[in-house]
Amino acid sequence: MLNKVLASIRRVDVIVEVLDSREPDLTRSKEIERYAVKNGRQVIIVLNKIDLIPREVADRWKDYLSKEFPTVYVSTKMRQGTRLLRDSIKEALKGEGNVAFVGYPKTGKSSIVNVLKGRKSASVSSQPMSTGFTKGIQLIKIDSKIYALDTPGIIPPHGNPFEKAIRGSNPDNLENPIPPALIILEKVFQVSPALLETTYKVNYLNGMQFLQDLAKHRGWINKEDKEPDLDLAAKTVIKDYHNGKITYYTLPPE
Ligand SMILES: Nc1nc2c(ncn2[C@@H]2O[C@H](COP(=O)(O)OP(=O)(O)O)[C@@H](O)[C@H]2O)c(=O)[nH]1
Ligand SMILES: [Mg+2]
């Protein structure tokens, strides 16, 4: 799967690496960035979902990441920053060319392409390629002379169980969704002590108790042992982190 990402990088002039602004470091792939740079491709970093973090935190991450690559922050949900992103892509491409959106699952690649393409586009396969396209690859028009690859470069999630969960592994494929869910819950609780209760109508004292009570509250009972289905509660927490129902933030290194 990584090979697919590398192939899409070779096909375009500009790479937009989409990060989740809550965990930019964990959703960043230095390997992908190095590959792009080595192959003479420009990289633009996008911090997405900034509606989920304080603005000062977004600014700090932007300053930090800008030391390496041009960085823009956006919220596709709130339609914030997308014009600046379009202008940055245009500038990097000097007005025309192709761009690939890459990133871990769930960072918002599809949402960004959807916002950028607006209403102007049907995808076009007939566009002549400046960079050696094979036939049959679909492009999406996102500006008068700018096209995006229609299949986002999905970086396969790897790392420890928490990193895998944050990097968008399907929770159903995690060996055990409970440990990463517990870390997410604790971070959410530290940043916004009331958020879990208002979101789920369940008290938070500690993570295990919370998963238990969430499962009971929703009537999720494990068929085998008739106990509250903690796995299902944990998967729900991970999914809700990705869809933005619950949130926290991290800070860049000093
Ligand atoms: N709060 C918030 N959620 C977003 C934003 N962009 C995307 N999402 C959510 O993040 C999830 C993954 O988005 P998607 O575009 O499918 O990500 P992809 O897997 O990278 O293509 C979806 O639940 C989106 O609704 C955003 O700017 N703010
Ligand atoms: Mg997608």
Side-chain angles (χ1 to χ4, degrees):
M1 232 174 20
L2 188 59
N3 283 337
K4 265 196 187 164
V5 184
L6 301 181
S8 64
I9 290 174
R10 291 193 299 271
R11 290 190 174 110
V12 298
D13 312 294
V14 168
I15 316 301
V16 175
E17 189 187 18
V18 183
L19 313 186
D20 188 312
S21 57
R22 296 170 294 178
E23 286 279 16
D25 254 350
L26 288 188
T27 52
R28 184 177 173 195
S29 169
K30 294 196 175 169
E31 186 186 356
I32 294 291
E33 293 164 12
R34 270 195 299 272
Y35 184 84
V37 170
K38 201 178 74 192
N39 285 275
R41 270 53 173 175
Q42 298 176 77
V43 176
I44 295 172
I45 291 183
V46 174
L47 292 159
N48 185 33
K49 310 193 188 183
I50 54 147
D51 54 292
L52 298 176
I53 66 169
R55 185 51 57 97
E56 316 83 75
V57 176
D59 282 324
R60 282 175 68 175
W61 275 109
K62 180 175 146 73
D63 289 348
Y64 174 78
L65 293 164
S66 296
K67 289 176 190 137
E68 287 182 74
F69 298 105
T71 303
V72 238
Y73 56 57
V74 305
S75 164
T76 54
K77 189 176 171 192
M78 302 301 182
R79 295 281 195 278
Q80 280 175 342
T82 49
R83 188 181 308 162
L84 184 60
L85 172 60
R86 180 193 305 281
D87 290 345
S88 308
I89 294 170
K90 247 175 164 167
E91 191 189 325
L93 285 170
K94 299 198 176 63
E96 81 186 277
N98 303 313
V99 55
F101 291 83
V102 306
Y104 287 105
K106 304 277 185 264
T107 52
K109 299 174 294 301
S110 301
S111 304
I112 290 177
V113 173
N114 268 325
V115 170
L116 292 179
K117 80 178 184 195
R119 269 181 268 133
K120 68 172 101 22
S121 112
S123 64
V124 280
S125 47
S126 55
Q127 180 64 14
M129 293 292 83
S130 53
T131 47
F133 255 96
T134 47
K135 271 192 191 144
I137 285 160
Q138 302 280 311
L139 295 168
I140 296 169
K141 187 172 186 170
I142 60 169
D143 208 274
S144 56
K145 292 175 179 169
I146 298 178
Y147 295 83
L149 296 198
D150 77 329
T151 41
I154 301 169
I155 307 170
H158 58 94
N160 65 38
F162 173 65
E163 288 167 339
K164 271 192 178 160
I166 293 299
R167 288 171 176 153
S169 275
N170 182 341
D172 294 327
N173 298 338
L174 294 169
E175 311 88 273
N176 181 357
I178 294 174
L182 292 177
I183 300 175
I184 291 173
L185 286 171
E186 197 179 314
K187 287 177 184 276
V188 172
F189 182 72
Q190 271 166 16
V191 169
S192 320
L195 183 60
L196 294 170
E197 207 176 317
T198 50
T199 307
Y200 295 102
K201 315 289 179 232
V202 169
N203 252 321
Y204 181 92
L205 302 169
N206 64 66
M208 278 311 273
Q209 158 274 330
F210 183 85
L211 292 180
Q212 290 260 3
D213 289 351
L214 177 60
K216 282 189 211 157
H217 183 70
R218 303 262 178 114
W220 294 333
I221 302 299
N222 189 312
K223 283 195 192 95
E224 277 137 45
D225 58 12
K226 311 285 185 233
E227 294 289 323
D229 191 338
L230 301 186
D231 273 22
L232 186 52
K235 287 175 191 173
T236 302
V237 165
I238 295 169
K239 283 181 188 154
D240 287 348
Y241 167 79
H242 284 294
N243 66 34
K245 249 189 220 161
I246 54 173
T247 186
Y248 63 83
Y249 60 83
T250 55
L251 294 173
E254 288 300 325

